Structures are given as C-alpha cells and as structure tokens.
Amino acid sequence: MNTPDTSAWPTPTLHARKGQLTLEELALTDIAERFGTPTYVYSRAALVGAFDAWRAALAGRRALVCYAVKANSNLGILSVFARLGAGFDIVSGGELERVLAAGGSAAKVVFSGVGKTRAEMRQALGAGIRCFNVESAAELERLDAVAGELGVRAPVALRVNPDVDPKTHPYISTGLKGNKFGVAFADALALYRRAAALPHLRISGVACHIGSQLLDPAPMAEAAQKVLGLVDRLAAQGIRLEHIDLGGGLGIRYRDETPPAVADYLAPLLAVFAGRPEELCFEPGRSLVGNAGLLLTRIEYLKPGEEKNFAIVDAAMNDLARPALYDAWHDVVPVVARDIAPQRYEVVGPICESGDFLAHDRRLAVAEGDLLAILSAGAYGMTMSSNYNTRPRAAEVIVDGASAHLVRERETVAELFAAEKPLA
Ligand SMILES: *Cc1c(COP(=O)(O)O)cnc(C)c1O
C-alpha cells in the first residue's frame, strides 16, 4: 500500500487512517455512501481553527474580523462563524439575508461592492448594518438620498484604492489604478469633505482591499501606510474616523505556496497602527474557509488515450470553476489508497467544454468507481458553481468530530426548471 504523505496536505484535519482518507473522525467513503457525490465536505474544526488564528493574532487590539461571505455563503458555514462572534463582509442584499438567516448580527456587517442598488441600500439600512463601504462619488450621493427617504443616517467608509501591486493573479488584484474598485486615492479627501456635508451620512471609517491570494505581507503594509496617511490628513481637516478596514486577501497553500501565518501577515500592519485609537477591521474570506473544505467526487470512467489518459469524474467545472477560470491548481487525492502502478491522468468532468478540467497531468493509482478528494475547495468553490449542462448543484456537508451535518441538500433537476415554462 502506498501511504500518502499526510503532512503535505493543506487541510489540517485531513488524515490517512488505515489507507483511507478521513476528515476529523469520519471516513470520506462513509460520507460518499450517505450523501452521494459530488459533495463539498467541510471540517468544522478547520473552520474554527482558521478563525481562532485571526482572533489570536489580533488579541489585545480593538478589532473585528468580518468573514467575506462570497468565499462560501452556506448557512452552515456562516452559523459557525456567527457563533464565534465574527462580523461579515457582504456584497449583495442576498448575502445580507443569508447572514441574518444564519444568526449573524447586522451590527457587525460591512457592505462592499461597486453596484449597490437602491433596494439593497434600503434593505441594509433597515437591518441596521455597521457600515457601507462606498466605492464611488455617485454611490455616496445615492446613499445619502436613500437614507434621507428613510429618515436615518447611513454609516459610511470610503473604499480607497491605494494603488499598490499585490503581486497576485490579475483577475483577483483589485487595488491598482486601472481597476473598477474603490475611489482613487487622490480623490479621497474631496470625497470625504463631500460626505461630511451630506446630511444623511455619518462618516465611520475608511476601507481598502487590494486583492486576493496574497502571499507577501509587504503590499498590505504599504497600503496600510498610505491609508494611515489619509486618516491623518482627514483628522487635520476635522474628519475623525472610528475604524480602519484593511480588507481581506490573505492567501492559502494550494500546492507549494508558502503564505505567511496570520500573525506574521498582520505583524507589519499592526506595527503601522500601533497606539492608534481606531478599531481595525479585516475581511478575510479564502484564508478562513479555503483549506477547511474539499470536493468529493467519484471516477465514472477511466479512458486511456494515445497522448493522455483521462479520469472522467462526476464533478465538473460547474461545481468547481477555479481550474477553468484561473487555471488554478488543486491537489487531487484518492480516498482509498490502491496497490497498483500509478498513471498520469487528466482529471476531467462530463461537461461539453474542453475547459472542463479539474486537474492536469496527475499521477494517480486509481480504478473506475474510486473516490477522489479535490483539496482546498472550501473557498470560491460552491459559491461560484452553476447549473451549466443542467447539472444539479452538489450537496454540502460539515463534518464535526464523528458527525456529518448535511448543510445543503443536493439539488434536484425539477428544482432547476421549476421557475420556467414552455410556451403555450
Ligand atoms: C473578495 C473580497 C474579500 C475577501 O477576499 P479573500 O481573498 O477571500 O480574503 C474581502 N473584501 C472585499 C471587498 C472583497 O471583494
């Protein structure tokens, strides 16, 4: 039996036990039997561990960790973080409803995004969220008007664009000048003055978010320095901020990346803000959930070819879009080790697109019907899934010790077209 090197796996609660992959105390074969495949499987202990790392790194500071809901918005996941006292970073009215349904507190919600509608503003003001992270001059005016109609004052932070290069994938870098996010640093002062003059706004803070899957703390520290300079220039004009929101973006290990530990990532930032009275706020998504989850899939067919062998699995790009979208690398591990010679496989789904792959050129000792775990799939997995090819979306399960909780049932085909009608 070739025993896998478990220390190489990025999920802390994943083990090999008697030749079988086990998450916490549960064998993944049992989960596949009970719930079928494809299924997203998350470890509660890994979620809690990731959150605790943030909490420990911020101990002794006035700080709020607002989980970025778009990374994984399942109510089960949100409820775990809500119970730990997390705040939430949302980007739509729908995400706000999810947070509230999961027991999250509106008073700890920050609302990001460049396209907030009037209806979303009314909804968030009605719920009493903590802050709107405003991304343009036009949004500032609209928010003031909507708050005026409701007879309330909207708490605002301006999301500024510090123009630093996060050195990550261009699709997930958000803090450079040519980007649709945030307001230009040079315009920030004038916009704050405008916000201060608007009667239905209350200036609460400043926000920035420079990108995702950051592996180097230096760009964030540079952004923090720039933001602090702005905070001081604002104070000199009589505009005092209560909080500074430094966004999310801390990267995780998918393959051989070496992201800093949360404490090491935060140390240079915290040094920048040492002795400051403002509350700090962070919006981590990927670093809280990415390595707490995996996608469990079964091999339908093995298809040897002249140039390549294919392992055709029952999960596809509609379930996990990251490989097709970003050419992202996810580790693929057989759930039960086999004593056969490994071969090189393209791990692909059944969808009619050449881009429908989960992994290229992997050495796997597998047979038809075997289960595979696609690792590091907890973030931007299920939330980016679709129904392409009329494929019902996967089930989702949270493992807690020896228990498995089905936190989302597998979709049925009937549900997929329940809202449609043939022409009479
Ligand atoms: C996506 C996003 C986050 C979370 O990013 P991660 O890389 O998942 O930590 C935080 N804040 C904002 C504004 C975002 O758009």
Side-chain angles (χ1 to χ4, degrees), residues 144-163:
D144 177 67
V146 172
E149 285 159 24
L150 295 181
V152 296
R153 289 180 85 176
V156 297
L158 282 178
R159 175 169 172 188
V160 297
N161 195 331
D163 195 30

Side-chain angles (χ1 to χ4, degrees), residues 53-260:
W54 277 86
R55 204 154 44 182
L58 291 166
R61 309 284 299 220
R62 212 153 64 83
L64 182 65
V65 176
C66 293
Y67 167 60
V69 174
K70 73 178 193 285
N72 188 323
S73 57
N74 183 285
L75 296 197
I77 303 263
L78 299 181
S79 70
V80 169
F81 290 134
R83 212 161 299 164
L84 294 170
F88 295 93
D89 169 43
I90 61 165
V91 292
S92 71
E95 287 189 348
L96 176 56
E97 284 193 39
R98 282 181 175 276
V99 166
L100 299 178
S105 151
K108 292 183 183 173
V109 166
V110 299
F111 193 170
S112 304
V114 295
K116 300 176 194 80
T117 64
R118 288 185 180 83
E120 286 175 321
M121 288 174 173
R122 279 193 289 272
Q123 181 192 352
L125 286 168
I129 67 163
R130 168 191 165 94
C131 193
F132 290 83
N133 290 348
V134 171
E135 305 216 17
S136 65
E139 185 189 336
L140 209 55
E141 303 293 331
R142 179 185 284 189
L143 183 57
D144 177 67
V146 172
E149 285 159 24
L150 295 181
V152 296
R153 289 180 85 176
V156 297
L158 282 178
R159 175 169 172 188
V160 297
N161 195 331
D163 195 30
V164 301
D165 185 355
K167 303 180 191 121
T168 182
H169 192 288
Y171 286 12
I172 50 179
S173 114
T174 54
L176 281 166
K177 265 186 192 160
N179 213 285
K180 72 174 175 180
F181 300 101
V183 301
F185 217 73
D187 301 338
L189 225 46
L191 276 175
Y192 269 103
R193 278 197 294 266
R194 176 67 185 147
L198 288 170
H200 307 295
L201 301 183
R202 183 174 64 74
I203 294 175
S204 170
V206 62
C208 78
H209 170 76
I210 64 170
S212 203
Q213 185 58 11
L214 309 179
L215 298 170
D216 175 357
M220 263 319 297
E222 189 189 333
Q225 281 290 356
K226 288 194 173 181
V227 168
L228 188 59
L230 175 64
V231 173
D232 287 337
R233 284 197 297 284
L234 287 170
Q237 305 211 3
I239 298 176
R240 297 203 178 278
L241 305 186
E242 294 153 22
H243 79 268
I244 300 173
D245 180 339
L246 296 158
L250 175 57
I252 63 168
R253 180 156 69 86
Y254 287 96
R255 185 179 193 174
D256 49 10
E257 302 90 339
T258 49

Side-chain angles (χ1 to χ4, degrees), residues 282-302:
F282 296 91
E283 304 169 351
R286 190 188 312 268
S287 69
L288 289 179
V289 291
N291 273 326
L294 56 86
L295 175 58
L296 188 59
T297 182
R298 195 178 286 283
I299 298 175
E300 291 282 354
Y301 298 100
L302 291 180

